[in-house]
Amino acid sequence: MVSISVRVRAEPEQVWAALTDWESQGTWIAATTVRTVEGDGRGVGARIEAFTGFGRLGFLDTMVVTEWLPPRRCAVRHTGAVVRGTGGFELVPAADPADGTTLTWYEDLDIPGGRPAAHAFALLRPAVEYGVLRSLHRFAALVEHRAGSTAGD
């Protein structure tokens, strides 16, 4: 399981709105394009897909939303050929609203390919975690910029 947390200096509602704007995730997740394929992406049963890669080289991650508790928790089940398992995010407001929200992104994936693939993933795990952490920091900066630019309005 991979679980990574970052602080976002914005209210949970602002963080939630940005996270669940599925199509905009490509602005902060490298080499990824996300779109809803069934429903509007906002509720249990909605289907989402993300293509990660360059050109035709990459993989399609299909997901179905299994839990939808705005603005606190969203969970998905990965249903693709390559990416299977569960994932999601949780938002916890800080005790002092000025400290923002803690965002925790988690993935519990079933690695296809048996033991050799599991060992390969163990070697790649630090790079995967680094990539997720970088994406979450990019996300936090975007949300904080938006929150700061609307705070004085």
Side-chain angles (χ1 to χ4, degrees):
M1 176 161 191
V2 172
S3 178
I4 298 174
S5 298
V6 296
R7 178 65 50 104
V8 183
R9 298 207 183 281
E11 297 176 6
E13 294 78 9
Q14 293 170 303
V15 177
W16 178 269
L19 277 171
T20 59
D21 178 3
W22 306 113
E23 285 77 11
S24 75
Q25 285 190 0
T27 62
W28 52 274
I29 301 175
T32 300
T33 303
V34 182
R35 69 184 188 106
T36 56
V37 292
E38 188 173 313
D40 65 359
R42 288 166 173 57
V44 172
R47 294 189 177 277
I48 303 157
E49 64 182 26
F51 179 80
T52 299
F54 299 96
R56 293 184 185 171
L57 183 61
F59 62 91
L60 185 65
D61 179 8
T62 58
M63 296 163 266
V64 61
V65 175
T66 58
E67 193 172 355
W68 185 263
L69 301 169
R72 300 290 185 248
R73 180 175 164 81
C74 176
V76 300
R77 183 171 27 88
H78 297 277
T79 59
V82 175
V83 182
R84 300 188 70 76
T86 59
F89 54 83
E90 294 183 3
L91 304 176
V92 177
D96 180 350
D99 289 334
T101 303
T102 298
L103 160 61
T104 300
W105 182 285
Y106 62 90
E107 301 286 348
D108 192 7
L109 303 177
D110 302 322
I111 306 300
R115 186 169 291 192
H119 288 300
F121 181 75
L123 293 173
L124 293 173
R125 184 183 178 123
V128 169
E129 290 176 343
Y130 175 76
V132 172
L133 182 61
R134 236 181 108 163
S135 293
L136 293 179
H137 280 299
R138 192 175 304 123
F139 170 79
L142 288 168
V143 173
E144 290 167 0
H145 176 76
R146 286 185 204 147
S149 64
T150 60
D153 293 346

